[in-house]
Amino acid sequence: MSRVSLEGQVAVVTGAARGVGELLARKLSARGVKVALVGLEPDALKQVSARLHSESDHWYADVTDAEAMARVAGEVKERFGKVDIVVANAGVATGGPFIDSDPVAWRRVIEVNLIGSAVTARAFLPLLVESRGYLLQIASLAAITPAPMMTAYCASKSGVEAYAHSLRAEVGYRGVKVGVGYLSWTDTDMVRGADQDAVMRELRQRLPWPSNKTYPLGPAVDRIVAGIERRSSHVYGQWWLRGMQGVRGYLPALIGTVGQREMRRFAGRLDGMRIGLVGAGGNADEQHRTSTTVRE
């Protein structure tokens, strides 16, 4: 599929304060896209916006808050006149054995990654229908293959993948394209935060190649931008992820066997693992929820 120029289009990027969202905003801006940044870190969003090459603005909002996201959609339309692209990128993660997991953190991963993506789409789909635009839902390798000690994250990313595929069939006849973006372990604050736990780091390093590597952020985001230019149904941040689609039916049984062996290996080291949200984005989410509770 040929690429189209993004010059003059308006893109909304959630989770835009850092990582994939921040770099994607910069690369879209370099192509002449006007960018609306959405996230939970207003100071960081302001700094990102100030560095962009094109017209931009930023909004502090929790993607799980339907009222707030509806307000953001209205204000983005008022500010830029339209919305052509929405990238549902906001996400958090937690790791560790499910039996010892923090129920609040586990639920929050589902809320942000799955419910937050649906809230984002619900708020902006009317504008995408107007522009015959493109919605890109960021998923993960975790949507393709299960993994031990990542129950919440795998569940949420499998959920957004299925949701986006269903949505594609619903809105395609109205001119809206829907894509799913897949990323393996990519050098972001989230992955670095997970790697701070020795068990999670070593378990990941024992995965089969090429899934045991951390990949640089820049090339992955370049692939996402190319997918947006093509309005692709599937976007792969790493070259080998496309091939995983053909074997995904075999992976649960394989991971079930290999995963049990690895969990037995690490069984004596599981006590004391961090059970909250990981990385700077996870910290920002926890601070947001704490401040919201205090105000209430």
Side-chain angles (χ1 to χ4, degrees):
M1 187 181 298
S2 61
R3 301 187 187 188
V4 298
S5 172
L6 299 178
E7 181 76 31
Q9 294 195 25
V10 176
V12 176
V13 181
T14 66
R18 60 184 67 254
V20 172
E22 186 268 341
L23 185 55
L24 178 59
R26 286 200 280 124
K27 288 182 179 288
L28 289 175
S29 177
R31 286 162 172 77
V33 178
K34 301 173 185 178
V35 185
L37 309 164
V38 182
L40 291 178
E41 299 172 81
D43 292 339
L45 291 170
K46 182 177 181 179
Q47 292 172 12
V48 173
S49 181
R51 293 195 298 266
L52 297 185
H53 301 280
S54 61
E55 191 176 351
S56 67
D57 210 335
H58 62 283
W59 281 264
Y60 172 80
D62 181 341
V63 294
T64 69
D65 185 336
E67 183 177 338
M69 291 302 289
R71 172 184 55 79
V72 170
E75 292 179 2
V76 171
K77 172 68 180 296
E78 183 177 356
R79 174 72 170 79
F80 296 109
K82 62 173 183 173
V83 172
D84 302 289
I85 302 159
V86 174
V87 182
N89 167 72
V92 293
T94 187
F98 174 75
I99 195 170
D100 298 321
S101 62
D102 175 3
V104 174
W106 202 99
R107 179 185 291 269
R108 185 60 180 171
V109 173
I110 304 297
E111 289 174 347
V112 174
N113 298 2
L114 176 54
I115 305 302
S117 294
V119 169
T120 298
R122 191 180 298 277
F124 284 98
L125 267 174
L127 300 180
L128 292 177
V129 170
E130 289 179 8
S131 66
R132 300 177 70 85
Y134 178 65
L135 170 67
L136 178 62
Q137 173 62 58
I138 300 298
S140 169
L141 171 63
I144 298 175
T145 179
M149 302 217 290
M150 293 178 58
T151 53
Y153 194 73
C154 289
S156 69
K157 291 303 185 178
S158 295
V160 295
E161 180 194 41
Y163 143 78
H165 287 331
S166 297
L167 186 63
R168 179 186 302 121
E170 292 185 20
V171 300
Y173 80 99
R174 305 184 73 177
V176 179
K177 301 292 185 182
V178 177
V180 180
Y182 300 89
L183 293 166
S184 183
W185 304 95
T186 305
D187 188 19
T188 63
D189 287 319
M190 181 187 292
V191 171
R192 288 193 293 271
D195 276 354
Q196 289 179 3
D197 185 278
V199 173
M200 292 295 293
R201 183 176 64 252
E202 292 176 34
L203 184 63
R204 182 166 68 83
Q205 290 170 346
R206 292 181 62 83
L207 294 171
W209 182 89
S211 62
N212 59 348
K213 294 177 56 180
T214 298
Y215 292 86
L217 181 60
V221 174
D222 285 338
R223 286 175 172 266
I224 293 173
V225 172
I228 293 172
E229 289 173 330
R230 297 186 177 100
R231 292 160 60 99
S232 299
S233 296
H234 299 83
V235 180
Y236 299 99
Q238 286 80 29
W239 62 270
W240 53 272
L241 287 171
R242 184 187 301 272
M244 296 291 288
Q245 296 284 21
V247 300
R248 63 186 299 171
Y250 302 97
L251 295 175
L254 175 63
I255 296 298
T257 300
V258 175
Q260 288 185 59
R261 183 192 68 201
E262 295 302 320
M263 290 300 294
R264 188 175 295 112
R265 181 193 302 272
F266 288 105
R269 299 171 55 190
L270 299 180
D271 292 341
M273 288 187 64
R274 174 184 168 84
I275 58 175
L277 302 180
V278 300
N283 291 336
D285 187 87
E286 290 176 344
Q287 290 171 9
H288 162 74
R289 285 183 288 127
T290 299
S291 65
T292 300
T293 301
V294 170
R295 288 198 300 272
E296 293 174 350

